[in-house]
Amino acid sequence: MPLKSPLFSIEHCSLFLVLLLLTILTFAGSLIVGASSVGWKDLLSVFVGQESEMAHLILLEIRLPRALLGLMVGFTLGLGGAVLQGYLRNPLAEPGLIGVSGAASFGAVITIYTGAAGLFALALPLGSILTALFAVFLVQLLAGKNGGSLRLILAGIAVTSFASALTSLALNMAPNPFVSLEIMFWLMGSLADRSFEHVWLVMPFMIIGWALLFKLGRSLDALTLGEDAAQTLGFNLKHIRHLMIIGVALSVGAATSVSGSIGFVGLVVPHLLRRWVGHKPSALLLASGLGGAILLLTADIAVRLLTTGTELKLGVLTSLIGAPFFLFLIVKTKRNTMS
Amino acid sequence: MTLLEAKNLSVQLDQKTILEGIHFHLQAGELVALIGPNGSGKTTLLKTLCGLLPAQQGKITALGTPLASIPRQQLAKILAYLPQGNESHWSITVESLVMLGRLPHQNPWQTPSNHDKEIVCQALKACDALQFKDRPVDHLSGGEKARVMLARALAVEPKILLADEPVAGLDPGHQLEVMERFQQLSSSGMGIVTVIHDLTLAARYCDRLVLLYDQQVLAEGIPEKVLTTKNLALSFNIQAHIGKMQGLPFIIPTSVAHPNQE
């Protein structure tokens, strides 16, 4: 009975229908927009099984994996952002906060730097995911034994800074300008030229991560009352933190490994959708995931439409739009607390 | 029936001793006030009694079972804790906030049943908050918020209620309402411990007072026995006028006592 699940309550039914519809539309849009002239007529021909060989190649081998990854990465970032904001009870939190994205980026950079990425296609995402998991182990260790969130943030900042320093070091020591250029471009974040291999590699990590994060819904609701009250409602803070960290590491680590770092989606989407689910953290999870998918697919379509000569990178676009929005949020938050 | 019992309890936070050698008990149907000056460890005692803080020494039992051996989810069904400050981090509606009190009774993927909704409705009614059940919590006044938070704790349907300054910030009318509500709840069998600074309210409504001072229980028992000139001077450092009017006790602090005059 999906309608009775707390993630999908009847009161917000129309919102979820709209989000679902938009997800399907942007997904389809991602399939029909591109450099070649293959469009919606060809997409329809695929459905009836009468597509040309050219359309088959472009739609199913090039654009479909890209659209799927856009969907999955966007969903991960939206969901991760909603979980982090709920867990820290802070509307300015984002999934990169606990160090996972920084570490995943560094892991990818290392595979480019050493040349492993050129040897076989999956070396980069694999190296990236492994580094992310290692970083999480480190963050857990640094964050201490009691379930508090302050040390976790500090540990996340420390790991992120260190990973970014190591990334800079790799750039600094790059054997030739092509390597540094490749690293730079990868760091900007993109979904271009990804294949089904990437989809299959990251999917299991993401699905397990999502499952862990969705389990947190009730705990996040209880945390609305603060950590003490949540504990006396029967929730174990340490258990919550473990689930959260591992869930974010698996899903966001996998997302970063395949797309590079894509900023602001995880920050902006939960913030925009919160009022539509009555500010309830558990109801925000699915909504924010779908919202993230919609935003990222839209941005990825925009990137393709705007690209003329040099490809505009997806992460650049999201940051270009996201940073001013972030500033707007800060100004607005300040005004609210002052009044 | 003894709901809560603590024997020879010592609590240290960051190597600083907050409580030492505390004996405490709460019977079913009892309304107990925890009083004492700022920093005397009232909140610490309350948090230790509901398992939020570890005790370095001593033993706490709830319903005859050692507190540490009761699974958290089980304890959450019988004990409700109402923290100080009434914080709600998100602007959810009053009704969904009170519904959080039902979490210990719900299965992980279950939505609120009609039974849950009925209990939430009753809790809201009992705290005079039903009329604004659809309003977002951050649109409420301080007093309204305090009543909503109390309703949240009552929605747990606990046997034991530990409330940290539940009447702070309430107007006199709502203070009386909360205390009367506590009295009704305790006479129907609930055991309630409340931290309270208003000594007149404590004397008037509570069955037993526990006065904390200097890490220890300075006095304990019926209000007349605890609220003596000597105890008030020693613990709160005040001179007070203690009297009765139409059978109701009152305590009016008149001046700061000078410690050397003892």
Side-chain angles (χ1 to χ4, degrees):
Chain A
M1 285 194 299
L3 283 178
K4 284 225 85 179
S5 147
L7 296 172
F8 195 89
S9 53
I10 294 167
E11 350 159 26
H12 310 121
C13 197
S14 46
L15 171 74
F16 283 102
L17 279 179
V18 169
L19 287 176
L20 207 62
L21 196 69
L22 282 174
T23 310
I24 294 168
L25 280 178
T26 47
F27 186 78
S30 186
L31 288 176
I32 60 176
V33 174
S36 74
S37 62
V38 174
W40 62 273
K41 279 182 186 151
D42 302 273
L43 182 62
L44 289 181
S45 72
V46 171
F47 275 114
V48 291
Q50 292 174 342
E51 75 276 20
S52 64
E53 204 170 311
M54 171 79 162
H56 183 92
L57 185 75
I58 289 179
L59 282 174
L60 297 181
E61 301 293 324
I62 296 177
R63 290 191 195 157
L64 184 58
R66 183 171 183 165
L68 277 173
L69 285 174
L71 182 82
M72 285 156 51
V73 171
F75 191 90
T76 297
L77 294 176
L79 173 63
V83 167
L84 253 297
Q85 294 187 3
Y87 175 76
L88 296 171
R89 286 148 282 149
N90 188 330
L92 300 181
E94 55 115 16
L97 209 62
I98 57 168
V100 173
S101 318
S105 288
F106 169 66
V109 166
I110 278 298
T111 61
I112 301 173
Y113 176 83
T114 55
L119 293 178
F120 71 113
L122 293 182
L124 187 147
L126 267 175
S128 180
I129 290 175
L130 288 177
T131 322
L133 293 178
F134 174 72
V136 161
F137 174 71
L138 206 66
V139 166
Q140 287 266 44
L141 219 65
L142 288 169
K145 281 215 171 70
N146 66 356
S149 50
L150 182 66
R151 277 190 66 165
L152 176 68
I153 301 177
L154 294 176
I157 291 173
V159 168
T160 304
S161 317
F162 194 59
S164 112
L166 289 173
T167 304
S168 301
L169 183 69
L171 267 171
N172 193 180
M173 299 301 210
N176 60 61
F178 298 107
V179 170
S180 26
L181 205 62
E182 204 183 331
I183 292 177
M184 290 291 284
F185 273 138
W186 191 86
L187 285 174
M188 289 176 187
S190 169
L191 288 173
D193 308 324
R194 305 296 193 265
S195 69
F196 264 109
E197 278 182 314
H198 291 95
V199 177
W200 301 136
L201 174 71
V202 295
M203 196 182 261
F205 290 99
M206 285 190 176
I207 288 176
I208 297 170
W210 294 346
L212 295 179
L213 295 183
F214 274 120
K215 265 187 83 171
L216 283 173
R218 273 159 45 93
S219 320
L220 299 181
D221 282 350
L223 278 171
T224 302
L225 297 169
E227 293 187 347
D228 282 345
Q231 275 178 285
T232 54
L233 281 170
F235 294 90
N236 184 332
L237 293 183
K238 242 159 82 179
H239 186 65
I240 295 175
R241 197 180 74 185
H242 283 312
L243 267 183
M244 191 273 292
I245 294 180
I246 297 170
V248 168
L250 289 174
S251 57
V252 177
T256 311
S257 78
V258 81
S259 67
S261 60
I262 291 173
F264 293 103
V265 175
L267 170 74
V268 168
V269 171
H271 210 88
L272 283 175
L273 292 172
R274 181 165 289 118
R275 73 185 65 180
W276 297 100
V277 295
H279 295 254
K280 207 174 166 189
S282 62
L284 185 59
L285 298 183
L286 182 59
S288 186
L290 290 174
I294 294 165
L295 185 64
L296 202 67
L297 284 167
T298 310
D300 195 37
I301 293 170
V303 160
R304 280 177 263 174
L305 291 175
L306 294 171
T307 295
T308 46
T310 322
E311 192 208 342
L312 176 62
K313 296 286 184 186
L314 182 58
V316 176
L317 184 74
T318 59
S319 297
L320 267 180
I321 303 169
F325 187 81
F326 185 66
L327 206 64
F328 165 74
L329 284 187
I330 293 174
V331 173
K332 212 176 117 201
T333 314
K334 210 169 185 182
R335 202 171 294 150
N336 283 348
T337 47
M338 278 164 102
S339 65
Chain B
M1 181 171 62
T2 306
L3 295 178
L4 260 184
E5 192 167 28
K7 277 182 187 157
N8 196 24
L9 200 65
S10 292
V11 181
Q12 289 167 1
L13 295 176
D14 297 325
Q15 270 123 47
K16 190 171 169 262
T17 304
I18 310 288
L19 296 169
E20 197 160 25
I22 302 278
H23 294 276
F24 181 88
H25 63 98
L26 175 72
Q27 311 295 327
E30 220 182 4
L31 176 53
V32 175
L34 216 51
I35 57 173
N38 296 130
S40 58
K42 304 182 296 292
T43 298
T44 304
L45 178 56
L46 219 53
K47 283 189 177 180
T48 313
L49 287 174
C50 59
L52 284 175
L53 292 175
Q56 268 69 32
Q57 216 183 73
K59 212 173 96 182
I60 305 174
T61 53
L63 299 167
T65 320
L67 194 68
S69 68
I70 306 176
R72 214 186 277 279
Q73 291 94 322
Q74 287 303 315
L75 187 66
K77 289 181 191 172
I78 55 166
L79 185 150
Y81 171 64
L82 185 56
Q84 216 171 335
N86 303 322
E87 58 178 350
S88 170
H89 291 279
W90 303 114
S91 171
I92 56 179
T93 64
V94 166
E95 196 178 15
S96 21
L97 186 131
V98 176
M99 191 59 86
L100 296 177
R102 298 304 297 161
L103 281 173
H105 301 276
Q106 291 166 356
N107 294 323
W109 297 102
Q110 194 187 338
T111 45
S113 65
N114 287 333
H115 177 65
D116 290 327
K117 285 177 188 153
E118 180 56 34
I119 286 163
V120 166
C121 183
Q122 278 170 10
L124 282 167
K125 231 183 255 171
C127 299
D128 188 21
L130 191 62
Q131 64 276 22
F132 42 78
K133 73 178 168 73
D134 294 319
R135 291 215 335 240
V137 252
D138 62 348
H139 288 192
L140 302 177
S141 72
E144 288 168 338
K145 215 183 215 172
R147 276 140 63 200
V148 169
M149 291 299 173
L150 177 60
R152 195 287 296 165
L154 295 185
V156 175
E157 293 191 298
K159 288 190 165 65
I160 305 163
L161 174 62
L162 305 180
D164 201 347
E165 297 199 36
V167 298
L170 293 188
D171 61 59
H174 282 112
Q175 287 192 353
L176 292 181
E177 269 176 32
V178 167
M179 293 312 287
E180 264 161 30
R181 185 67 203 158
F182 276 177
Q183 221 169 26
Q184 281 169 20
L185 288 166
S186 67
S187 61
S188 69
M190 196 186 285
I192 302 175
V193 185
T194 174
V195 171
I196 189 166
H197 275 300
D198 189 320
L199 299 177
T200 301
L201 283 181
R204 181 165 160 197
Y205 286 101
C206 297
D207 303 311
R208 197 152 54 81
L209 308 187
V210 175
L211 173 57
L212 288 179
Y213 175 67
D214 196 19
Q215 306 162 3
Q216 283 162 345
V217 176
L218 182 69
E220 193 212 329
I222 54 167
E224 290 86 348
K225 204 183 114 194
V226 174
L227 297 172
T228 61
T229 320
K230 189 173 159 243
N231 283 343
L232 291 179
L234 183 59
S235 59
F236 289 99
N237 197 26
I238 53 167
Q239 304 259 304
H241 183 68
I242 303 167
K244 261 193 178 178
M245 203 176 166
Q246 293 170 340
L248 299 175
F250 64 84
I251 291 98
I252 304 173
T254 51
S255 64
V256 177
H258 296 286
N260 295 339
Q261 280 182 353
E262 275 286 307

